[in-house]
Amino acid sequence: DLHSFPTRRSSDLVLIGNWKMNFNMHEASLYLHNLMQLLPSYRDVEVVLAPTILSLQSLSLQINRRIAKLAAQNCYWRDHGAYTGEIPAAHLRGIADYALIGHSERRYIFIESDKDIRLKVQAALRNRIKPILCIGETAQERALDETKDVLADQLTSGLANVTAEELGQIVIAYEPVWAIGTGDNAKPADVKSAVATIRRHIAHLYGKAAAEQVRIVYGGSVTVDNAADYLAIRDLDGLLVGGVSLDSHQFKEIITKAHSKEK
Ligand code: 13P
């Protein structure tokens, strides 16, 4: 039950823009330039941009980290070696503040296993990169009423070997697969219930205090119009925005809504 969790210390929100496989280096730089012009430095909203790997390094030199932070969209878990085409978390250290791990597009298009995801979470933590662990049920799992089990399994597996202290570095992103890129956004009531499920399972794994502190965001067809409905969920700490984050004006509008939200 949501009400069994007392209010958490920080009411700060995190708003992550996942650009997926969009924007070349030039477009990425232009976007960042525009967003920096549009956006004041809001102390109560942490803005995070996730460009493709190619743009990460140059954006890290361009970005004003008081205004926004950077996330990798993926990373490999080994630190070096014969792994053609991979980029280790070790090389992202100091460049990316966060890394998306286990995004459903990684799980289902690139067939990442729970074990890959667990190892990537650990590699990120080891390299001072905050993991954004993405979890969520597919349409089929939802139809079979398996959402709670899927969330619990993905949390148990993704967080295995993560200490209670390290949990404070992690953001959990609830992204129901059926809501991603479909325009079929989850109902705020369903998100609220998923967030409660996640906190309950974290309480089971780490105890109540850790469950109160962990940050949880929602992603899946978030728009300027529906953002406020999610931001009104007391136990939710922010949003993970895909398509709409590609428009700096719209993304800025969502950020502004988070800033002006009554806390
Ligand atoms: P959309 O906002 O485009 O549905 O994407 C959500 C997402 O996958 C963010 O990681």
Side-chain angles (χ1 to χ4, degrees):
D1 173 358
L2 269 179
H3 304 290
S4 60
F5 295 107
T7 313
R8 275 157 295 124
R9 267 203 303 277
S10 169
S11 57
D12 293 359
L13 296 170
V14 57
L15 282 197
I16 307 152
N18 177 9
W19 293 354
K20 308 194 180 184
M21 204 176 70
N22 296 288
F23 293 161
N24 62 26
M25 284 174 70
H26 177 70
E27 293 160 339
S29 171
L30 209 58
Y31 178 110
L32 185 61
H33 176 80
N34 290 337
L35 192 71
M36 296 287 129
Q37 303 279 316
L38 290 168
L39 213 59
S41 144
Y42 291 136
R43 290 245 185 95
D44 59 344
V45 185
E46 189 175 4
V47 177
V48 183
L49 301 172
T52 68
I53 199 76
L54 193 61
S55 302
L56 255 185
Q57 199 261 347
S58 58
L59 293 190
S60 79
L61 302 175
Q62 184 188 343
I63 206 163
N64 175 350
R65 279 189 154 83
R66 279 194 302 272
I67 297 182
K69 306 253 168 50
L70 290 172
Q73 295 177 12
N74 181 29
C75 63
Y76 192 53
W77 54 272
R78 291 189 196 267
D79 287 345
H80 50 80
Y83 305 101
T84 302
E86 290 298 311
I87 295 167
H91 290 188
L92 298 171
R93 188 179 187 138
I95 295 173
D97 307 280
Y98 288 88
L100 294 172
I101 295 179
H103 189 281
S104 65
E105 286 148 21
R106 300 296 322 167
R107 289 179 192 261
Y108 299 108
I109 303 174
F110 299 99
I111 324 295
E112 276 187 19
S113 69
D114 285 333
K115 185 180 169 215
D116 292 326
I117 291 160
R118 166 161 73 241
L119 291 166
K120 288 177 178 195
V121 167
Q122 285 157 29
L125 289 169
R126 187 163 80 229
N127 287 289
R128 307 258 179 279
I129 295 166
K130 297 185 183 115
I132 302 165
L133 174 62
C134 304
I135 61 174
E137 80 285 2
T138 63
Q140 193 185 12
E141 289 160 344
R142 182 182 184 222
L144 293 169
D145 204 18
E146 292 174 354
T147 299
K148 284 186 178 158
D149 293 336
V150 170
L151 296 180
D153 288 351
Q154 290 180 345
L155 284 169
T156 301
S157 169
L159 298 175
N161 305 334
V162 170
T163 66
E165 200 184 9
E166 288 170 331
L167 192 68
Q169 301 295 306
I170 293 187
V171 174
I172 307 288
Y174 171 55
E175 292 212 312
V177 181
W178 50 269
I180 293 178
T182 57
D184 185 15
N185 58 305
K187 289 193 189 72
D190 291 340
V191 173
K192 192 173 165 170
S193 130
V195 169
T197 299
I198 293 167
R199 287 204 195 279
R200 217 168 10 240
H201 194 67
I202 303 251
H204 167 71
L205 296 174
Y206 292 94
K208 237 177 163 183
E212 288 152 17
Q213 292 296 329
V214 71
R215 290 190 290 172
I216 305 175
V217 301
Y218 166 74
S221 298
V222 171
T223 63
V224 174
D225 290 335
N226 65 30
D229 296 339
Y230 299 114
L231 294 169
I233 301 171
R234 195 175 55 86
D235 249 22
L236 189 74
D237 303 286
L239 297 167
L240 175 47
V241 186
V244 168
S245 78
L246 296 174
D247 180 321
S248 55
H249 286 89
Q250 291 191 46
F251 192 46
K252 187 234 164 185
E253 270 196 59
I254 296 178
I255 295 162
T256 306
K257 277 178 206 257
H259 169 65
S260 53
K261 178 197 161 192
E262 244 180 74
K263 306 247 166 57

